[in-house]
Amino acid sequence: MHLETALEILQKIESESVSHVTPIEMGELSKVFSYRKDGQELVIHFKKSKETLEKTKWISDRYSLQLPIPKVVKVGTIGDIHYSITEKVKGAPVSTLNADGIRQLIPDLIKRFSMLAQIPCDDSGSFGWISPLGEASFDSWSECLASFFEEEQEGFYHGWPLLFEQSFLERDVFEKFYSIMIDLAQYAPKERYLVHGDFHFGNMLSDGHQITGIVDWEMAMYGDFMFDACRAAPVGSSNQFSRTAPQSLGRNGPDHSSF
C-alpha cells in the first residue's frame, strides 16, 4: 500500500486530524503505518483478513496488563480493507541493534520470556492456534505440532511439500528430524501456556535499555512455552539465552527439566 493511499484511508477513518503518517516497514510499499492524532502516537495495520486482527485485539485485551503488548484500540473495515489501530510503543526492533546492544538486552528479554511462560492459562482448554474468541482446537501439543506439517495446508504454508522437489529440502532428512520432534514432544508440559509463536528480535521493541513492546501476535498459540525459547535462541546471543532462560523460570515456574 502506498503512503498516499494509507493517508486517504486514515482521513476517512480518523477525519482530517491525522498527521505524520509514516511507513513502519522498509521499502516503498507498506501495510503498517504510524501516525499522530490529537497529540497521540498510533499505528494502523492493514490486512486482507480481519480474523488475525481480531485475534490480536483479544490477546491485547486479555494480557496487556501482564505483558508489554501494545493496546489495540480499534478493529474495523472500510470497503474491502480491514485494519486495526494500536497505541504506538516507543522504541525500535531489537533486530536493528548491533551485537553489543542486543547482548545488553538479553537479561530483560529473559525476564519477559519468564513472564510470558508464567501467564496463568485455563488447563481445561485446548492447544494450538488461538482464535479471535480465545479458543484452540487440539487435544494435545503433539497434535498441534503434527498439524504444522500436514500436506494439505491453506494460507502461508499452502503447497509446502513442493519444497521437496523445488528446493534443497530433502525428504529423508525432513522425515528423520520430524520423527525426532514428535518423539520428544512427549516430554512437553501437559499444561498449556501462552505462546507468542514468532518470538524473535524483529518482533521485540526496545528503547536501548529494556524491552518496551512485544508485537505481532498473529501466530499466538496455547502450548509449550519452550517453543518461544527455541524460536529466540538462534538469534543474536543464542548461547547466553539458552543457558539462562530455563534458570529464569525458578522453582515456582513451569517444569523445564526436559529443556
Side-chain angles (χ1 to χ4, degrees):
M1 178 180 291
H2 289 279
L3 176 61
E4 294 77 10
T5 304
L7 178 58
E8 180 181 348
I9 295 174
L10 265 171
Q11 289 174 338
K12 292 179 180 178
I13 296 172
E14 298 278 35
S15 77
E16 299 290 335
S17 60
V18 298
S19 63
H20 299 79
V21 180
T22 307
I24 289 182
E25 298 176 346
M26 299 297 291
E28 181 182 357
L29 301 178
S30 178
K31 294 183 180 180
V32 185
F33 299 82
S34 64
Y35 67 99
R36 186 177 299 172
K37 178 188 177 184
D38 299 330
Q40 184 179 16
E41 300 286 341
L42 299 166
V43 172
I44 188 165
H45 190 169
F46 296 108
K47 292 275 290 185
K48 292 182 178 179
S49 170
K50 193 176 183 180
E51 182 177 355
T52 55
L53 299 177
E54 291 178 332
K55 168 181 176 175
T56 301
K57 186 177 189 309
W58 185 89
I59 291 173
S60 168
D61 291 344
R62 189 174 182 88
Y63 297 116
S64 61
L65 293 179
Q66 300 159 284
L67 295 167
I69 302 175
K71 181 176 177 56
V72 179
V73 297
K74 183 179 182 180
V75 173
T77 302
I78 182 166
D80 59 352
I81 299 176
H82 306 288
Y83 66 89
S84 68
I85 296 174
T86 65
E87 295 178 352
K88 186 177 181 179
V89 176
K90 293 183 178 180
V94 174
S95 58
T96 63
L97 302 178
N98 60 31
D100 288 339
I102 292 176
R103 194 174 298 112
Q104 292 175 11
L105 288 171
I106 291 295
D108 195 55
L109 167 61
I110 291 172
K111 175 183 176 182
R112 304 301 178 178
F113 165 74
S114 180
M115 292 170 60
L116 177 58
Q118 297 185 60
I119 293 290
C121 293
D122 181 5
D123 292 339
S124 64
S126 300
F127 294 76
W129 307 112
I130 301 174
S131 76
L133 298 177
E135 301 168 345
S137 56
F138 295 100
D139 292 331
S140 69
W141 178 240
S142 295
E143 287 183 25
C144 176
L145 287 178
S147 75
F148 296 164
F149 301 96
E150 292 176 354
E151 295 204 356
E152 295 296 327
Q153 298 272 5
E154 297 181 358
F156 182 80
Y157 295 106
H158 174 72
W160 76 266
L162 292 174
L163 293 173
F164 294 126
E165 304 173 8
Q166 301 176 0
S167 77
F168 57 83
L169 182 61
E170 301 177 31
R171 184 177 289 274
D172 58 339
V173 175
F174 166 81
E175 291 180 348
K176 173 185 176 180
F177 286 99
Y178 173 81
S179 178
I180 293 173
M181 180 191 71
I182 294 300
D183 183 57
L184 291 175
Q186 65 181 301
Y187 300 105
K190 304 306 178 186
E191 306 82 13
R192 66 180 195 158
Y193 297 88
L194 177 64
V195 177
H196 180 278
D198 201 16
F199 198 65
H200 62 77
F201 288 175
N203 285 332
M204 303 174 199
L205 305 180
S206 171
D207 58 4
H209 303 285
Q210 62 181 357
I211 302 297
T212 55
I214 302 175
V215 301
D216 195 0
W217 289 81
E218 295 181 4
M219 298 182 70
M221 300 175 278
Y222 286 125
D224 181 2
F225 60 92
M226 293 309 296
F227 187 93
D228 281 339
C230 294
R231 182 70 179 92
V235 185
S237 305
S238 59
N239 291 334
Q240 184 181 351
F241 183 90
S242 299
R243 289 194 307 268
T244 314
Q247 300 172 8
S248 72
L249 298 176
R251 294 181 178 180
N252 298 324
D255 180 21
H256 55 279
S257 58
S258 297
F259 182 73

